[in-house]
Amino acid sequence: MECLAAFSPAVATAIMRLPLTCVSKKRKNGGLRAKLKDNDDGDEDDPLIKSATYRASLRFQETRRPDPLFFDQYAGCFLPRDDLPMHTEYYPCHYCLATKFIDDKLLTTMNNVDGLKQVVLLTDGMDTRPYRLNWPASTMIFGISPERVFKKAAQKLEDVGAKIPKGCLFRHIPLESSDIQQMLCSYGFNGNRPSIWALQGLPLITLATLEDILSIVSNLVAKGCLFLGELPLWLTETEIGIKSSNQRWVDKLFIGNCFQVELISYSEIAVNVGWEPPAGDYKNVLFVAEQLRFSNDQMETWMREFRRMEEEGDEEGFEEL
């Protein structure tokens, strides 16, 4: 899977033959603002902060193992000092295996694709990847997450001296923003250039919320680029009522936004790192998807070039007359 940073008018036929389900859609996420309104009951009763803190505790425990899957030196700063989890008998958890997979896929792709300098992380607000991963120089990192969780986390990260890698840039976009797509572009995201997107921990309240996010990603991701991460399977049961097979549900969801998707087995990840497959049920599914259509920016660039060529052709024809 290779990101295409540019294209020529010769691909016009391929663009025009896209199915109607792949037409670009501009959605404003007003529904997210309503669902994620401020919590007046304090952090202890805030479900978003509680969920993000729980995930941070899993990363903290993993980091304390003698042979960790990954190293998150900042996870502990989000946890109460009198309630830091102590390592006991450890078994591999799905979340940590997914975190390992996403970390590796992000960095491997960044280092192997020419011109790939844009990363978008859709998270719970306590994601530490902008600080702990070894990003290539000049990487632009965009984080989309709930504003109140991010503000709390950012202050704690500042308190422990966390820094974005030298030569890289980080920008946060509140999940509650009325127009995430426009805000990303105002911060410098360019849909004509390659990018990679990762989803883990972002609060997805309903299937409609997920579809809004997929629409935004589809509009901005250049052809051939990757979108990976975890999706909550319970959305199928909540909205549809009948639990279909994972692959069939994910295929239908992604193809409507012009992505070719592959499911990744948590058990295979465990075996690859020398662990037994994780026990118990897990309500998420791990995926890697490739963008099949051109981004909105790429389409606009092509249309400008097409009009320029038409105008030049008209001028030449007039001169001949």
Side-chain angles (χ1 to χ4, degrees):
M1 299 180 180
E2 182 179 356
C3 292
L4 303 181
F7 54 90
S8 68
V11 299
T13 304
I15 297 175
M16 299 309 176
R17 290 182 180 176
L18 285 173
L20 292 178
T21 54
C22 289
V23 175
S24 65
K25 303 175 286 296
K26 181 68 179 294
R27 295 185 183 180
K28 291 189 176 182
N29 48 305
L32 295 179
R33 300 179 69 190
K35 295 290 185 180
L36 300 176
K37 63 182 180 180
D38 290 341
N39 186 304
D40 296 326
D41 298 328
D43 292 353
E44 292 183 0
D45 297 318
D46 190 323
L48 298 184
I49 290 179
K50 289 172 69 174
S51 295
T53 302
Y54 172 70
R55 295 186 191 95
S57 74
L58 294 178
R59 299 196 304 273
F60 177 81
Q61 292 180 73
E62 177 62 33
T63 298
R64 289 171 63 89
R65 284 201 313 107
D67 186 23
L69 296 172
F70 54 84
F71 187 72
D72 188 345
Q73 65 270 43
Y74 302 117
C77 78
F78 304 129
L79 310 178
R81 287 300 170 189
D82 57 351
D83 192 30
L84 288 177
M86 300 302 293
H87 172 70
T88 56
E89 183 178 356
Y90 182 82
Y91 61 91
C93 74
H94 295 82
Y95 171 78
C96 289
L97 290 168
T99 301
K100 162 71 173 174
F101 175 82
I102 294 169
D103 286 358
D104 291 351
K105 191 70 173 179
L106 284 170
L107 292 181
T108 300
T109 307
M110 291 288 296
N111 288 317
N112 290 336
V113 176
D114 291 340
L116 178 52
K117 298 292 184 182
Q118 300 181 117
V119 181
V120 184
L121 306 173
L122 302 104
T123 72
D124 56 21
M126 291 188 184
D127 184 70
T128 58
R129 289 186 176 97
Y131 304 89
R132 66 179 177 82
L133 293 187
N134 187 25
W135 300 106
S138 303
T139 298
M140 296 181 66
I141 308 162
F142 303 90
I144 300 173
S145 64
E147 176 75 355
R148 64 181 181 271
V149 183
F150 172 79
K151 283 185 175 180
K152 178 182 177 69
Q155 183 60 59
K156 290 183 177 293
L157 288 166
E158 182 180 348
D159 291 344
V160 298
K163 302 289 185 183
I164 302 298
K166 187 176 181 179
C168 297
L169 180 68
F170 175 72
R171 289 287 183 266
H172 178 254
I173 294 88
L175 180 61
E176 302 88 345
S177 302
S178 61
D179 196 334
I180 290 175
Q181 185 169 321
Q182 189 278 331
M183 199 166 182
L184 271 168
C185 294
S186 71
Y187 277 147
F189 183 89
N190 189 335
N192 280 309
R193 298 173 182 169
S195 63
I196 185 167
W197 296 56
L199 169 69
Q200 189 180 37
L202 188 79
L204 299 169
I205 310 302
T206 64
L207 185 57
T209 304
L210 173 57
E211 289 172 342
D212 284 344
I213 293 295
L214 282 174
S215 176
I216 292 169
V217 178
S218 180
N219 288 343
L220 294 175
V221 174
K223 186 176 186 293
C225 292
L226 299 184
F227 177 35
L228 64 145
E230 289 189 295
L231 289 176
L233 281 175
W234 59 265
L235 287 177
T236 61
E237 300 172 339
T238 300
E239 299 292 336
I240 300 175
I242 300 175
K243 187 173 182 179
S244 58
S245 70
N246 296 351
Q247 184 68 60
R248 185 169 55 195
W249 174 69
V250 172
D251 281 343
K252 181 179 179 181
L253 184 68
F254 276 84
I255 198 61
N257 288 281
C258 294
F259 284 99
Q260 178 180 340
V261 65
E262 175 187 2
L263 295 187
I264 307 299
S265 167
Y266 293 93
S267 296
E268 289 183 9
I269 300 172
V271 170
N272 289 339
V273 297
W275 285 99
E276 292 294 324
D281 294 331
Y282 191 53
K283 293 294 186 178
N284 289 346
V285 62
L286 188 61
F287 71 92
V288 176
E290 179 185 1
Q291 171 72 295
L292 300 179
R293 75 169 183 90
F294 294 116
S295 69
N296 288 3
D297 283 349
Q298 287 179 309
M299 286 294 294
E300 289 175 7
T301 299
W302 181 84
M303 288 301 295
R304 284 197 300 270
E305 181 66 14
F306 182 77
R307 286 192 292 267
R308 184 187 65 80
M309 294 177 65
E310 278 192 326
E311 290 171 359
E312 289 180 353
D314 291 341
E315 290 176 0
E316 291 176 359
F318 181 77
E319 290 174 359
E320 290 176 1
L321 292 175

